[in-house]
Amino acid sequence: MLEVAPFIPFFLAAALGLFLRGWLRAVLFIAVPVLGLANLWLLGAGGAGIEFGHYAILDFNLLLFKADRLSLLFGYLFHIAALISVIYALHVRDTLQQVASMLYAGSALGAVFAGDLLTLFIFWELLVLTSVFLVWARRSGRAYVAGLRYFTLHILSGLLLLGGIIFYGQTHGTLEFGQIGLDGHAYSWMIFLAFGIKCAFPFFHNWLTDAYPESTPTGTVFLSAFTTKVAVYALARAYPGTELLVYIGATMACFPIFYAVIENDLRRVLAYSLINQLGFMVVGIGIGTSLAINGAVAHAFNDVIFKGLLFMSMGAVLHVTGKINGSELGGLYKKMPKTTVLCIIGAASISAFPLFSGFVSKSMVMSAAIKNGYDWVWLILLFASAGVFHHAGIKIPYFAFFAHDAKLPAREPPVNMLIAMSIAAALCLIIGIYPQALYSLLPYEISYTPYDVTHVLTQLQLLFFSALAFVWLNLRHLYPPELPSVNLDVEWIYRRLVPDAMRGLFSRLFALDNRLRNVAVGGVARLVEGVASHHRADGIMARNWLTGSMVAGVVLLLGLYLILGWL
């Protein structure tokens, strides 16, 4: 057992990954989350309240690593997610993506074990600086624009967080990361909004539905696992029991359903579905009881697995066919039977079928809502559960693998993709059949039995009538068809709020805006290609091993110095 902050092995692996190739890089990237998880498990076995890595800046005592049951759960989750995602991406020969993904996973781990707000801020910003390259790595115009929007909103989140930290430190004389709450001070609202942007609160959620579908097939799997779950962790740490979160979460659980039902791009459907699932977690944090918090973080754990499985199955479809719109897919179950079965397992899990992982966590949040007098919230979450079954449980597998036969040339994806999806599917089943394996890791010790008659019958009835409604609507040709279209989201409201008198001004500025956007997109394209070109066969990293070795040596020495300093 080593007292090493979990992000350090990921950062060092990313540095080495710049120079390693082929199976050496693959072995390194697989070994890091496996060994890191084992080390973290041993640290966790020593009990809660573990901390090390004290350092000071100005008059503040800061802490690099602080672990309790809440942060340890997310630490285990992020190691598992990193392992599955790395295996899924083994066939990729893009140094930019692979190195960025390791830095991204390490940043997420640094954030959840940060003992103070300043350390949290550092990793908060590293999350966006590393993850945006997973969007840009697709190297398309749409990806560059979506990445810029993603980057802009997350930088705004970072600025709000930094401002809140400054005012918090002045008020309290400490930067310890703990309960903050909405106490009427400006800093509490600034930090709350910073967390909310990253958690895809309503009116700030477009970065998710824009960027995730435009990322690479493998990059989306990484993105779905870390950013929003770091925000869920931060809310659970700083704002448990904040009633406003109950209303925000209920809204998040509902509104994405309507967009997901009419959306043609199946990865965008999953992006809306991700916001829907985040709504359940936010409601649980807002209720704030032991059962509710346990339900929220348990559902975050399960969501990373089953949503990752669904994104992986759609990524496999995109990888094999080059298409992702429901109107262009169908009939793939004949040529991709293994992927079809794995996708259905993910769909059953997100729909909360009994014996699948979603059932044992979603029911905790809904039970907490009933027990604490939020009957109307329970009804909204019940409606949201039916909606997610429609758009993620039925729509995704139906239009991708069944429906009409699009007669596309297809085959099963590479073996590593199937292995990663199989691991995720196995976890969905294991947690669903034996929920105590997850319950034993939750922040609070409680006695909860998901498989009672009331829970099981209620959920089965809900699923049965939802399926019946889908079949009836489809047979009557009333279900929204899969059509090539562009669906306006919250930006429609922004457009309508602009006074008519100002539209003329904006129209005159539009040409300038287009030129500025083209310059920005062109700059991003040159940046991405410039970074990637260094690692090609004729790049500087390949031509000049001496220079590469010097850089690697400096990075390793710096890493060793940091490790020794924090031991």
Side-chain angles (χ1 to χ4, degrees), residues 182-242:
L182 292 177
D183 56 7
H185 289 90
Y187 66 76
S188 65
W189 284 98
M190 293 175 74
I191 297 173
F192 183 79
L193 286 175
F195 292 168
I197 290 174
K198 239 179 184 61
C199 198
F201 278 6
F203 300 102
F204 299 104
H205 65 275
N206 284 88
W207 64 263
L208 195 157
T209 55
D210 283 346
Y212 284 21
E214 298 303 331
S215 180
T216 63
T218 55
T220 305
V221 178
F222 279 96
L223 289 168
S224 68
F226 297 114
T227 297
T228 53
K229 303 311 178 294
V230 170
V232 167
Y233 164 80
L235 288 170
R237 173 72 67 193
Y239 295 93
T242 301

Side-chain angles (χ1 to χ4, degrees), residues 298-376:
H299 201 56
F301 192 103
N302 288 333
D303 181 72
V304 168
I305 306 300
F306 61 61
K307 187 58 60 61
L309 176 55
L310 288 169
F311 269 118
M312 284 190 283
S313 62
M314 291 302 98
V317 169
L318 178 60
H319 175 80
V320 169
T321 67
K323 301 182 184 299
I324 199 59
N325 289 337
S327 58
E328 300 173 327
L329 296 172
L332 293 178
Y333 75 94
K334 302 172 185 176
K335 300 173 182 178
M336 304 176 69
K338 296 175 183 176
T339 305
T340 303
V341 171
L342 294 167
C343 179
I344 290 173
I345 292 174
S349 299
I350 196 174
S351 303
F353 270 87
L355 301 181
F356 291 86
S357 59
F359 178 80
V360 304
S361 56
K362 188 178 291 185
S363 61
M364 296 174 75
V365 176
M366 299 183 71
S367 296
I370 283 288
K371 288 182 179 181
N372 290 274
Y374 291 101
D375 296 3
W376 64 273

